[in-house]
Amino acid sequence: MKRRDFLKLLPAIGVYLSSWQELIGRELQEIIGNRPQALTILPGSGRREVSLPVSWDDGVGYVSADRFAKAFDYNTYLNQQKRKLVIYFPNNKVVVSADNPFVVIDSKIYQIPSSCTWNNGVQIPVAQLVPLLNRFTNTRLDFDKSRFYLSAGKRVLSISGMDINSKANGEVIRIHSNKRFRKGEITSDMRNGWLHVDLYGATADIAELKKTRGSGHVREVNVFEFRKLISVAFRLSKEPLSREVYQDQSNGDIVVVLRYKESIAQNDKKEELEDPRPNRKPETEKAKEKDDLSIDKQLERERERWLIDTVVIDAGHGGRDPGAIGVGGIREKDLALAVALKLGALMKRKMSDVRVVYTRSDDRFIELRRRTQIANENKAKVFISIHANANRSSRASGFETYLLGEEKGSQARSVMERENSVIKFEDPGSQKHYQGINSILVRMTQAGFQKQSEHLASNVQENMAKRLRSLNMKNRGVKQAPFWVMVGASMPSILVEMGFITNKHEARILKTASHQQKIAEGIFSGLQRFKKDYENAI
Ligand SMILES: [Zn+2]
């Protein structure tokens, strides 16, 4: 399929994408089987080309985060215990953590589709991380996916902005730079009430820099561009007692410290200027530890956004769609609703910090894609769809948990075909939303949550097995298949097939409230375990 046609499909089915477009490229790459074994980095600025080995996992190419940073000559700090790497980009601090899809850029948290991994250090999914860096840092990288070439983009300017902080005894100006200035490339002098800071070899968006507002003793800012240098000028209310200009080795900032008072009262200490020591050691361990601590504090503040605070329980089928019909006329839609309500009641009682949202709480018809829409609209963090299985053979038995994925094995296929066939109950206008979609697209939409969905599915399956042990029911395990009902869910999603209603024994017990309660308890315990693990990881 042409990329253009592929893209055309997306709005047609209302797939949630926003920042997942990058995956399209990845999936296409996967189709054509292009999995380069090395990433070539052309760091620019006269630095030599570097080749990093790429390891592939589930279609995602990973490279060492540390070696990636070193290729560009960026400093890093590894917290071995927390498996967390801080990369000091020229103007931004980026933190990546193993087994974690969250990337912290300057204390803000972003999620990429796949988790970073660990192999003698943090490994990053490079094709997913680069767009994030381009969007939220001052670094610009051009990534050629087909050849796996990464080069410093042309848009990189060495000066990206500045800010002025007024302290009790003076001013601290930080000019954000990604260029390492050598000795003699930064000079400063006072002329007619203006302090000029000349930066040789620097490049900047002059118009943007000029917008910097004065503060305290800095009354006005002006910037001039010459052939070989950028001159940043500050009009000062009066000449300072002392001034120092140096480059902060940890982040590249050019720091201008203007001291107006020798000392200040003890209780104003915290407002005092930082001690300007141009030759201080760039990255003392203590400073790094402090850095890391503050990152943790910020993480703590931000992680609340990611807590599992809303769960959507989706009772399969309903209304004019009865689902499968089993022994004695037993209907899938009734069993699904009964278990869904029992699960919801359990959650309300034992997981009161979580909001429960039902896609249906009575016998009504709901279109498949409306179900995940409900989940997305409610910003649900987990989507659980409940179903009962059917088979032409009355001997088929057992319970299983599915996540969205390419179908593997003929049994998964038959369940998928049956569950997906219910679109026939939708009106023709709605049905066409599902046409022309293939499993690649299905995979793409959930790839970001694949690992979490897998984790949720295995916990649910394991806990159902525990509850149902005495009944001697067959544990059919965790499987993958492309179910429409989960397409478009932007959260970890599973589909539980709680037993075969075409099996005489299972149909009989599935009807009983006590058995339904056991299934609900199994799903609940699995969810509880998942919630704990997930929230510990963020
Ligand atoms: Zn079903």
Side-chain angles (χ1 to χ4, degrees):
M1 193 189 307
K2 282 187 197 136
R3 184 186 170 97
R4 201 177 51 235
D5 299 338
F6 191 74
L7 288 168
K8 260 193 271 176
L9 283 175
L10 302 178
I13 56 155
V15 169
Y16 172 88
L17 267 175
S18 86
S19 63
W20 307 95
Q21 286 92 335
E22 201 47 41
L23 283 169
I24 300 163
R26 172 160 87 76
E27 295 295 339
L28 285 179
Q29 193 171 307
E30 205 170 318
I31 304 159
I32 58 174
N34 176 15
R35 293 187 176 182
Q37 296 305 301
L39 170 72
T40 305
I41 298 180
L42 308 154
S45 308
R47 278 185 289 269
R48 67 185 182 86
E49 181 178 314
V50 177
S51 179
L52 303 185
V54 179
S55 59
W56 290 89
D57 179 24
D58 202 18
V60 182
Y62 289 87
V63 298
S64 155
D66 191 61
R67 293 181 68 180
F68 174 87
K70 294 278 154 54
F72 291 97
D73 219 14
Y74 300 157
N75 290 328
T76 59
Y77 167 64
L78 175 70
N79 184 327
Q80 180 91 28
Q81 202 193 346
K82 290 187 174 169
R83 296 181 163 204
K84 195 182 278 186
L85 186 81
V86 184
I87 305 174
Y88 296 93
F89 279 73
N91 305 114
N92 310 87
K93 191 164 64 186
V94 177
V95 188
V96 290
S97 314
D99 307 317
N100 202 317
F102 302 107
V103 177
V104 185
I105 301 176
D106 298 335
S107 84
K108 285 205 178 65
I109 300 183
Y110 304 93
Q111 190 178 10
I112 49 173
S114 303
S115 286
C116 294
T117 57
W118 180 265
N119 180 13
N120 277 326
V122 181
Q123 306 284 311
I124 46 173
V126 64
Q128 297 174 12
L129 194 63
V130 165
L132 195 74
L133 297 175
N134 279 339
R135 200 162 154 204
F136 298 107
T137 71
N138 290 321
T139 304
R140 293 292 170 268
L141 300 167
D142 292 328
F143 186 44
D144 178 341
K145 281 190 207 81
S146 61
R147 293 188 305 160
F148 249 56
Y149 265 58
L150 189 69
S151 54
K154 289 186 183 69
R155 285 183 290 157
V156 178
L157 294 169
S158 52
I159 306 296
S160 58
M162 73 175 123
D163 44 57
I164 304 170
N165 279 300
S166 296
K167 309 276 179 175
N169 57 343
E171 315 291 334
V172 178
I173 301 163
R174 284 186 166 266
I175 303 170
H176 308 309
S177 165
N178 61 21
K179 175 181 154 63
R180 297 284 147 180
F181 290 89
R182 280 185 300 236
K183 215 175 167 194
E185 289 186 325
I186 303 176
T187 61
S188 69
D189 66 327
M190 282 293 297
R191 292 189 292 252
N192 305 322
W194 286 81
L195 169 70
H196 289 259
V197 177
D198 295 345
L199 307 167
Y200 287 82
T203 51
D205 182 348
I206 302 297
E208 202 52 43
L209 269 190
K210 280 183 179 177
K211 289 180 190 163
T212 313
R213 303 273 290 273
S215 168
H217 292 88
V218 180
R219 294 294 164 85
E220 202 182 332
V221 176
N222 210 341
V223 187
F224 306 93
E225 189 170 23
F226 299 97
R227 206 146 59 90
K228 286 187 175 166
L229 66 95
I230 299 278
S231 183
V232 187
F234 307 94
R235 188 165 66 82
L236 306 178
S237 61
K238 60 175 182 178
E239 191 146 347
L241 294 174
S242 69
R243 67 163 196 265
E244 308 207 34
V245 181
Y246 64 95
Q247 185 164 30
D248 184 337
Q249 296 302 315
S250 71
N251 56 18
D253 282 0
I254 294 134
V255 186
V256 180
V257 182
L258 307 171
R259 194 177 289 271
Y260 281 89
K261 275 186 208 160
E262 262 331 333
S263 64
I264 51 168
Q266 196 61 33
N267 55 0
D268 282 332
K269 265 280 189 259
K270 62 179 188 303
E271 284 290 319
E272 206 176 352
L273 289 174
E274 55 194 51
D275 190 16
R277 266 175 296 173
N279 298 322
R280 68 183 168 183
K281 243 180 126 202
E283 280 297 300
T284 63
E285 282 309 306
K286 209 172 169 186
K288 281 173 181 167
E289 267 168 37
K290 213 175 123 199
D291 237 4
D292 205 47
L293 267 180
S294 67
I295 290 162
D296 279 349
K297 215 183 283 168
Q298 285 148 359
L299 262 170
E300 182 57 42
R301 213 180 304 139
E302 290 275 331
R303 75 188 278 274
E304 285 178 13
R305 288 202 302 137
W306 301 97
L307 295 178
I308 295 173
D309 55 1
T310 306
V311 171
V312 163
I313 304 176
D314 174 49
H317 314 275
R320 62 179 180 264
D321 166 19
I325 310 275
V327 178
I330 182 176
R331 297 181 301 187
E332 179 184 0
K333 67 171 184 179
D334 299 327
L335 299 178
L337 181 61
V339 172
L341 294 176
K342 285 187 165 62
L343 172 61
L346 260 177
M347 287 178 63
K348 281 173 188 163
R349 210 163 63 234
K350 296 185 177 177
M351 211 183 252
S352 53
D353 57 327
V354 173
R355 188 165 64 103
V356 176
V357 177
Y358 297 105
T359 53
R360 68 178 181 101
S361 54
D362 54 20
D363 184 20
R364 71 175 69 196
F365 181 76
I366 296 176
E367 288 180 358
L368 285 183
R369 69 203 158 87
R370 177 65 197 137
R371 296 172 190 258
T372 44
Q373 236 169 39
I374 291 170
N376 289 341
E377 284 165 10
N378 281 284
K379 295 191 165 56
K381 304 295 168 47
V382 168
F383 179 84
I384 299 173
S385 193
I386 298 170
H387 295 255
N389 224 332
N391 198 288
R392 238 170 273 150
S393 161
S394 61
R395 276 179 304 181
S397 70
F399 55 94
E400 58 201 5
T401 306
Y402 282 89
L403 56 137
L404 194 59
E406 271 174 317
E407 130 275 316
K408 287 166 185 160
S410 61
Q411 283 173 335
R413 178 191 293 267
S414 76
V415 173
M416 168 202 71
E417 282 171 354
R418 190 173 52 72
E419 297 292 6
N420 285 345
S421 73
V422 302
I423 61 165
K424 66 175 179 273
F425 294 103
E426 300 188 10
D427 62 59
S430 171
Q431 281 186 37
K432 74 172 190 293
H433 286 289
Y434 303 100
Q435 282 164 13
I437 308 168
N438 56 31
S439 65
I440 294 153
L441 185 57
V442 171
R443 285 206 59 193
M444 185 186 76
T445 58
Q446 265 282 305
F449 308 98
Q450 189 85 1
K451 288 260 151 52
Q452 285 118 312
S453 297
E454 247 178 80
H455 188 57
L456 174 63
S458 60
N459 276 311
V460 163
Q461 183 67 16
E462 192 182 306
N463 279 283
M464 278 200 296
K466 272 184 203 160
R467 306 278 165 165
L468 304 177
R469 190 168 289 152
S470 60
L471 291 159
N472 213 13
M473 269 181 85
K474 189 177 166 191
N475 180 347
R476 298 169 70 92
V478 170
K479 294 174 181 175
Q480 290 189 15
F483 293 104
W484 296 137
V485 69
M486 291 193 276
V487 171
S490 46
M491 66 218 61
S493 310
I494 57 165
L495 185 147
V496 176
E497 291 282 358
M498 52 193 174
F500 282 81
I501 58 175
T502 43
N503 177 299
K504 212 170 151 188
H505 169 65
E506 293 189 1
R508 187 165 47 80
I509 56 173
L510 277 165
K511 269 192 293 194
T512 66
S514 65
H515 184 76
Q516 290 166 0
Q517 184 65 25
K518 277 193 183 122
I519 294 168
E521 280 168 12
I523 298 171
F524 174 79
S525 302
L527 173 66
Q528 201 172 34
R529 178 77 230 177
F530 169 78
K531 183 175 185 286
K532 205 174 154 205
D533 292 347
Y534 180 88
E535 289 178 351
N536 280 340
I538 59 176

